[in-house]
Amino acid sequence: MHYLDWAIVAGYIAWLVFDGVKRTRLERTTQSYFLANRSLPWWAVGLSVMATQLSAITLVGTTGQGYTDGLRFVQFYFGLPLAMIILSVTVVPFFYRARVYTAYEYLEQRFDLKTRTLTSLLFLLSRGMACGAVVAAPAVVLSVVLGWNVTFTALLIAVPAVIYTILGGVQAVTWTDVKVMGLTVFVLVAAGVVLLLGLPSEVHVGDTLRLAGATGRLDALDFRFTLNETYTFWSGLLGGLFLMLSYFGCDQSQVQRYLTAKSVDEGRSSLMMSAYWKIPLQLLVLMVGVLTFTFYLFQRPPMLFNKVHEQSVRASDRGAEYAALEEEFGLAFEGRRQAASDLVVARRSGDGRAEAQAVESLRARDAAVAAIRGRASGIVRQTMGDASYTDVNYVFPTFIVTALPIGLVGLWIAAIITAATDTIAAELNSLATASVIDVYQRLYNQGAPDEHYLRVSKMATAFWGLFATVVAVYASSLGSLIEVVNRFGSFFYGSILGVFMLAILTRRATGTGAFVGLITGMSAVAAVAFGLPSMSFLWHNVIGAVVVFVVGLAFSGIRTGARAPRAAE
């Protein structure tokens, strides 16, 4: 990278850390540290909710998904608008009336201590692991760009987030979210413009869409009902609905965002911002990935985007085989480029038959290129001993450092790093909140002064930052990072959602019933996850929620004929 790019990265990170330090003076109590005294405006909270989702995983993994798989991933979010409406009507006023710091405090009010503690511990485990995946995304980018060790780069990303979260609390997290959100949208639009300008002069925007559509990358809807396919209309609408209900309604990292709003109505407005804008924003990210694919139809891409692994293979005893495969790849690329050009010409001519033939030719040529890249990835897996290796996470970072102009490269790297630190900060703050309020204060030390809990909160933030860094080193080798974080969450989220369904939707459920249901639900998800690995992880959310609700309600009826305590008014 150019020195100007490095200056942009360093300056932007320094600004965010400085802003967090500046807000230290505002954090004198646990309520201000965790909830900003419930004083933040709805639009800032709404942007914070969206920015927490729009992490570096989105910028690295989702663009890679768009490149390899097109727009199908957007179906993952089809349940989100409905989830936001449901939560705005139900959960938001519940939590506000209960006057809680964490979502899990309410479970003790409604059920008992053991249900609250187990649910909070499940959140801590799931969110701590997901936070590690968020750290892994920029660590992957920097390890490719700079050739640094993944552990070192993970620390480079995590440390600034830990510093300004410890010092500034939720105030620093929220206002950093607003800044990062603005930068992220800007660099996405700028990258899209550069990608379009980088196409041959005879290729117009309409041609670009036709080329992407010809290879199936604009096929956003799949109405097949199958449990084995991750991205379909039904898995997104049903499985995604349960995932989003759990994530935004039961996950402390999101609940804590809207608990900082000034009122119930402002908390609702902050959630509805995601209902309106999340899917269009996700389409923008995916379209940048699709445009990257069309860019590389005319500009030769590397056979593998991970240069570190490529160099290792070249130096191995399979180097000659890899070199021969690269020559084959070059010929296949030229054939695909010619097929793409032929389709543009046929489209302009208005000859429907010629256009249809050109489409078939492009599909065949693209499949040939993909097959060669698949063989190359197979050589990497065998040579490196990495059975889960995938090239998807390296696609867009490679484009950034090789094709973007000076200055924009720095802005993009800054956006990736700060999107990660921003999401990490929000999650560290929520992890510290649950650790202190649900575990330390409730179980071990209830009578200490507020200043003591504030110090423990900062220590908990540092601990979870270290935990996330350790997980990041492992998560970076698990495949598509955007799927990694959702697989982590889906293992736990459905069961947690089931507990809150028992708490809110029925008065018959008891604490023991909810506790037994939660254990049974987690066991059922584990059995399905390990026993039926071909089933899409999105359905784990449905299974967990339904099993917890049904078993919890049934066990409550068996154990007692009395009605459970009333929910908090």
Side-chain angles (χ1 to χ4, degrees):
M1 289 199 317
H2 193 272
Y3 73 89
L4 177 62
D5 295 315
W6 285 117
I8 290 172
V9 173
Y12 195 76
I13 294 175
W15 178 40
L16 295 184
V17 174
F18 171 76
D19 188 68
V21 173
K22 183 177 66 175
R23 297 181 187 278
T24 304
R25 59 186 175 82
L26 302 174
E27 311 305 341
R28 302 299 183 190
T29 66
T30 52
Q31 185 174 32
S32 63
Y33 189 76
F34 291 140
L35 298 180
N37 293 316
R38 304 180 191 270
S39 63
L40 297 178
W42 70 269
W43 59 269
V45 176
L47 288 174
S48 178
V49 169
M50 291 184 66
T52 303
Q53 304 166 63
L54 196 67
S55 66
I57 291 178
T58 303
L59 298 180
V60 173
T62 306
T63 47
Q65 286 283 120
Y67 177 91
T68 59
D69 203 31
L71 301 183
R72 291 195 319 123
F73 180 72
V74 76
Q75 297 173 109
F76 177 83
Y77 292 95
F78 282 178
L80 186 142
L82 181 58
M84 292 308 195
I85 294 172
I86 293 172
L87 294 174
S88 295
V89 173
T90 58
V91 168
V92 174
F94 255 83
F95 287 149
Y96 267 93
R97 287 199 298 267
R99 305 299 294 177
V100 294
Y101 280 84
T102 76
Y104 317 111
E105 282 183 271
Y106 169 72
L107 293 179
E108 184 176 3
Q109 296 177 13
R110 173 64 179 82
F111 292 133
D112 52 31
L113 177 60
K114 65 179 183 295
T115 304
R116 169 189 177 179
T117 302
L118 178 58
T119 309
S120 183
L121 289 174
L122 289 175
F123 159 74
L124 291 172
L125 180 59
S126 63
R127 183 48 50 191
M129 293 171 64
C131 189
V134 173
V135 176
V140 168
V141 174
L142 291 184
S143 67
V144 171
V145 173
L146 304 174
W148 289 354
N149 179 271
V150 171
T151 303
F152 176 78
T153 52
L155 288 170
L156 182 67
I157 299 305
V159 168
V162 172
I163 291 174
Y164 75 73
T165 306
I166 287 176
L167 295 175
V170 75
Q171 285 270 6
V173 171
T174 300
W175 292 111
T176 299
D177 289 343
V178 174
K179 301 181 187 72
V180 171
M181 194 68 184
L183 176 62
T184 300
V185 173
F186 172 78
V187 295
L188 283 168
V189 173
V193 172
V194 171
L195 283 162
L196 289 173
L197 294 177
L199 294 171
S201 58
E202 68 273 12
V203 179
H204 301 159
V205 174
D207 300 322
T208 302
L209 296 177
R210 185 68 179 101
L211 290 167
T215 58
R217 283 170 172 79
L218 296 186
D219 296 339
L221 299 176
D222 183 348
F223 288 102
R224 292 175 299 161
F225 189 88
T226 170
L227 299 180
N228 298 330
E229 184 64 47
T230 299
Y231 304 121
T232 69
F233 177 86
W234 301 110
S235 67
L237 185 63
L238 300 177
L241 173 62
F242 279 79
L243 175 60
M244 299 304 172
L245 284 173
S246 182
Y247 179 53
F248 289 98
C250 313
D251 188 302
Q252 179 63 21
S253 67
Q254 294 303 308
V255 172
Q256 192 165 339
R257 302 278 78 74
Y258 52 80
L259 286 180
T260 63
K262 296 178 181 179
S263 65
V264 172
D265 287 341
E266 294 214 6
R268 286 170 169 161
S269 297
S270 67
L271 280 186
M272 293 308 295
M273 181 180 286
S274 288
Y276 294 131
W277 292 107
K278 177 59 179 178
I279 291 178
L281 186 60
Q282 202 67 30
L283 276 172
L284 173 62
V285 178
L286 288 167
M287 275 304 303
V288 170
V290 171
L291 291 176
T292 305
F293 167 77
T294 58
F295 175 84
Y296 281 127
L297 285 177
F298 298 96
Q299 305 291 333
R300 177 170 172 171
M303 185 166 66
L304 288 181
F305 288 91
N306 187 327
K307 292 299 182 183
V308 175
H309 282 359
E310 182 186 53
Q311 291 169 4
S312 298
V313 171
R314 289 184 185 279
S316 71
D317 57 2
R318 302 190 68 175
E321 179 185 356
Y322 187 86
L325 190 60
E326 194 162 36
E327 291 185 11
E328 188 178 344
F329 174 79
L331 295 174
F333 164 75
E334 291 298 335
R336 188 179 68 173
R337 178 165 61 181
Q338 185 60 54
S341 298
D342 292 343
L343 177 54
V344 172
V345 172
R347 180 176 181 271
R348 298 282 178 78
S349 70
D351 186 340
R353 183 176 178 182
E355 184 176 356
Q357 291 175 342
V359 167
E360 291 302 319
S361 176
L362 178 58
R363 288 176 179 172
R365 299 289 186 173
D366 184 52
V369 170
I372 295 172
R373 294 191 70 240
R375 287 159 58 192
S377 295
I379 294 175
V380 170
R381 296 186 191 101
Q382 296 167 12
T383 303
M384 306 296 295
D386 182 3
S388 62
Y389 171 77
T390 176
D391 215 34
V392 65
N393 299 321
Y394 305 92
V395 174
F396 199 69
T398 299
F399 169 78
I400 290 172
V401 298
T402 58
L404 289 181
I406 294 172
L408 191 53
V409 173
L411 286 174
W412 252 104
I413 298 298
I416 291 172
I417 293 175
T418 56
T421 58
D422 175 55
T423 303
I424 295 163
E427 296 182 349
L428 292 178
N429 190 247
S430 64
L431 287 164
T433 305
S435 299
V436 173
I437 301 299
D438 292 325
V439 180
Y440 179 76
Q441 183 185 57
R442 182 63 182 86
L443 300 179
Y444 297 105
N445 191 347
Q446 295 191 37
D450 201 56
E451 293 80 3
H452 172 75
Y453 295 126
L454 192 59
R455 288 195 301 271
V456 174
S457 300
K458 296 180 178 182
M459 294 170 60
T461 301
F463 166 78
W464 285 110
L466 178 61
F467 179 87
T469 304
V470 173
V471 173
V473 177
Y474 171 67
S476 62
S477 65
L478 289 182
S480 173
L481 292 171
I482 190 65
E483 289 193 355
V484 168
V485 70
N486 289 315
R487 285 203 303 267
F488 281 162
S490 294
F491 191 82
F492 297 92
Y493 280 163
S495 299
I496 294 175
L497 174 62
V499 175
F500 280 91
M501 289 168 60
L502 286 170
I504 295 173
L505 298 181
T506 176
R507 292 175 55 193
R508 290 185 54 236
T510 64
T512 301
F515 186 78
V516 172
L518 180 56
I519 293 176
T520 306
M522 286 300 305
S523 300
V525 171
V528 171
F530 295 109
L532 296 171
S534 61
M535 178 181 288
S536 167
F537 64 84
L538 278 176
W539 293 105
H540 297 170
N541 299 283
V542 181
I543 292 169
V546 171
V547 169
V548 171
F549 187 81
V550 172
V551 172
L553 204 58
F555 198 82
S556 298
I558 293 173
R559 294 287 297 174
T560 176
R563 299 183 79 174
R566 289 188 59 146
E569 296 294 337

